[in-house]
Amino acid sequence: DNKLVTKFWKMLDKNLHDATSERNADSTLELDLPSGRTMRYYDLHLDNGQVRGATQLPDSSKFGGYRYLYGGKLCENLCQSLAREVFGYYLLKIVDKGYAVVLQIHDEVVVEVPEAQAERACAEIKNIMSSEVEWLPHLPTAAEAKITERYEK
């Protein structure tokens, strides 16, 4: 049981309940990410004492319905969003260096280069994906890289 994690869950849960009870009607909770992007939970409302809300507006084509929300779920959403943003940051750096990204799977990226350039590309991409993220400078990052003729897990 990590006390800092459970404390964070409880803080998020309080924020969720505060956002719901502030207006006593449908409301929105906004959570700012270090990248500058904002996560939003819409139409928060109480249902038998539990908070329900949506991650898309009800009139959106992507509206997936209302879900029960709680601090642990918001923490998971924040962690997954942050991980995706860090990965996207590195993808853009790889593309900026001129590499053709042909595949991405969760936290993996596949680029295709001529065989003669493989060693240099492998080292450069590993270095990029282990570098500091501008908007999250104290995040420890590391990467593995390998050269293969085809994708392998």
Side-chain angles (χ1 to χ4, degrees):
D1 187 16
N2 186 320
K3 290 180 180 170
L4 291 176
V5 172
T6 54
K7 182 179 178 181
F8 186 57
W9 290 348
K10 288 175 185 175
M11 181 196 74
L12 290 170
D13 202 52
K14 182 180 179 328
N15 290 348
L16 195 55
H17 281 273
D18 288 349
T20 305
S21 62
E22 276 180 14
R23 296 179 186 94
N24 292 323
D26 293 341
S27 59
T28 300
L29 174 64
E30 295 186 343
L31 300 172
D32 295 326
L33 295 168
S35 64
R37 192 170 65 88
T38 301
M39 293 178 55
R40 291 179 180 85
Y41 296 88
Y42 300 98
D43 292 338
L44 299 173
H45 57 275
L46 290 176
D47 181 8
N48 292 324
Q50 294 184 319
V51 177
R52 287 180 60 108
T55 54
Q56 290 91 22
L57 288 170
D59 60 352
S60 166
S61 63
K62 295 182 179 185
F63 180 66
Y66 293 97
R67 294 176 171 78
Y68 286 105
L69 300 170
Y70 51 95
K73 176 58 79 176
L74 269 59
C75 180
E76 176 188 0
N77 291 169
L78 285 167
C79 290
Q80 292 295 325
S81 293
L82 184 58
R84 176 65 182 108
E85 289 193 347
V86 169
F87 185 70
Y89 172 85
Y90 289 136
L91 277 178
L92 292 174
K93 294 276 188 194
I94 290 167
V95 169
D96 287 348
K97 287 288 186 177
Y99 293 106
V101 173
V102 295
L103 184 64
Q104 69 174 63
I105 306 98
H106 301 290
D107 61 351
E108 298 178 46
V109 61
V110 177
V111 300
E112 190 171 46
V113 298
E115 192 172 340
Q117 298 171 16
E119 290 291 335
R120 183 182 61 78
C122 185
E124 186 170 34
I125 290 168
K126 182 178 178 181
N127 186 50
I128 289 169
M129 294 192 72
S130 299
S131 66
E132 182 176 278
V133 177
E134 291 171 14
W135 39 264
L136 200 55
H138 300 294
L139 178 71
T141 59
E144 297 175 0
K146 64 182 173 181
I147 299 168
T148 62
E149 291 187 18
R150 65 190 59 80
Y151 175 73
E152 52 185 64
K153 190 68 184 149

